[in-house]
Amino acid sequence: MGLRFRVLKQDPVDAWFAETFPQQDLLRAEIAAELRRCPILLTDPPNKSYFGHVVELAIGLALCDQSPYPRLFHCLDPGLATRMLTMAGYQPTVADAAGYDARRSSDPTAHPAHLFTAASRLAHVRILLNKFDGHDCDAVPNTRYVLGQYPHLLHGLPRETYQTRRAFGVLWSSYCGGFHDALRSYGPATAQLSLLNGHRHADFLLGTTVLEVKSGRLDEDHYLDELIRQILTYALLAHHDGHHVTHVAVYATRYQRLLRYRLDELTNQLTGNPIDLIATGAELAALIRNQPCRRSAA
């Protein structure tokens, strides 16, 4: 009986990364060694993807001076959006009668329980919006309609919410122990930075630092490989889009570790030679444009 072999074509972007940055294994080993020395937070939320959304959104609400995640808030009734922003430590601007635009109040400290409530509900909005984003150009109004008809979707399952709240409390105590001040010191925060006309989104741009937040495991090579590719992609596309990026950073919440690298030194290490960041970003952008667009809910 004859055997048929299927030839698997390597993704062009994967092939480009492997060729352009052949020394990625050095950075992977460095990060792995660093994380092995870190005290791990013993949190076990029931839905790790949902928990990751909550953590990222809470950090965005805590860091930004102006109301972040406008696309998510526009999925909500203006009155509810205003209440959630107020809960997270913002004050609506007088000029915005709709209630979506707000600035951080003079007292920037939001109670962790209030911050969790706002972030957890936004996480449910993001999950629903992502489902519409995959096939619907009217994703925001449709998400808003569904949430208006079924407001209980914002609250999730009581048991899951309770367990997620407990895990969030542990993580947030760690975050407030110095990570918040460190991230604020990098510069003004932009959450969910849209890159290449929405083909990619970085978690944060803090001044000139691109930041990726990871709340899950980073104890296997493929997790670290994905992380390295993410931070390089976001930094190069940010350069291509005209943002002045000097550093990349990773906040590994589970490991209570903040890693930060000079972008030019990092890319030189991974390539073995100095490279032109703008030209390299343009090459990557051209490859990504030929792939299906991956939209984000925020």
Side-chain angles (χ1 to χ4, degrees):
M1 181 170 57
L3 297 176
R4 291 187 304 170
F5 294 93
R6 184 176 61 179
V7 178
L8 297 177
K9 292 184 178 180
Q10 187 177 17
D11 178 87
V13 177
D14 288 340
W16 181 87
F17 266 98
E19 180 180 355
T20 305
F21 301 106
Q23 308 297 327
Q24 292 181 58
D25 56 327
L26 299 177
L27 179 59
R28 183 207 309 137
E30 179 183 328
I31 295 176
E34 188 73 35
L35 296 182
R36 280 196 295 269
R37 294 192 289 267
C38 297
I40 297 177
L41 291 178
L42 300 178
T43 57
D44 189 25
N47 186 328
K48 293 177 175 57
S49 176
Y50 168 64
F51 181 67
H53 285 308
V54 173
V55 171
E56 179 194 331
L57 292 165
I59 291 174
L61 290 168
L63 284 177
C64 293
D65 292 323
Q66 197 158 3
S67 53
Y69 309 112
R71 205 160 170 257
L72 295 182
F73 278 108
H74 277 82
C75 292
L76 301 172
D77 172 85
L80 177 57
T82 298
R83 291 195 297 275
M84 287 175 58
L85 283 166
T86 302
M87 197 180 299
Y90 292 82
Q91 289 182 336
T93 59
V94 177
D96 182 37
Y100 293 109
D101 187 31
R103 295 193 62 81
R104 182 156 296 286
S105 65
S106 56
D107 178 12
T109 304
H111 192 283
H114 295 164
L115 195 60
F116 172 80
T117 298
S120 63
R121 291 181 182 174
L122 278 183
H124 288 301
V125 177
R126 174 184 274 183
I127 291 168
L128 180 59
L129 183 57
N130 277 337
K131 293 178 180 178
F132 280 113
D133 261 335
H135 54 81
D136 196 333
C137 62
D138 295 321
V140 170
N142 286 341
T143 300
R144 182 172 176 175
Y145 173 80
V146 169
L147 291 174
Q149 296 297 307
Y150 306 100
H152 67 277
L153 294 176
L154 285 171
H155 302 276
L157 301 175
R159 177 180 174 83
E160 180 180 276
T161 301
Y162 173 73
Q163 293 179 342
T164 304
R165 183 187 294 270
R166 291 185 62 182
F168 177 81
V170 173
L171 186 149
W172 204 249
S173 293
S174 170
Y175 172 78
C176 293
F179 294 107
H180 177 75
D181 290 342
L183 295 178
R184 288 282 291 179
S185 73
Y186 295 163
T190 300
Q192 278 288 289
L193 178 69
S194 180
L195 299 169
L196 203 62
N197 295 322
H199 282 74
R200 296 292 185 272
H201 290 81
D203 285 350
F204 296 98
L205 178 64
L206 308 177
T208 61
T209 297
V210 168
L211 172 71
E212 179 72 8
V213 175
K214 288 294 182 185
S215 59
R217 294 168 48 193
L218 292 171
D219 55 355
E220 296 181 12
D221 284 352
H222 67 95
Y223 294 139
L224 294 175
D225 288 339
E226 179 185 0
L227 172 62
I228 292 168
R229 174 166 162 169
Q230 281 182 310
I231 60 176
L232 288 174
T233 296
Y234 300 148
L236 290 171
L237 292 183
H239 255 283
H240 176 72
D241 283 359
H243 299 285
H244 179 54
V245 175
T246 60
H247 292 76
V248 293
V250 178
Y251 175 32
T253 65
R254 176 182 174 87
Y255 300 85
Q256 304 185 86
R257 191 72 173 94
L258 178 59
L259 305 170
R260 189 168 182 243
Y261 305 91
R262 277 190 58 93
L263 179 60
D264 54 355
E265 294 177 358
L266 181 64
T267 54
N268 292 349
Q269 175 191 356
L270 298 182
T271 59
N273 297 287
I275 64 169
D276 185 325
L277 293 173
I278 295 178
T280 306
E283 289 180 18
L284 177 58
L287 289 172
I288 291 176
R289 282 197 184 97
N290 292 327
Q291 294 184 320
C293 181
R294 288 171 13 189
R295 299 181 64 187
S296 171

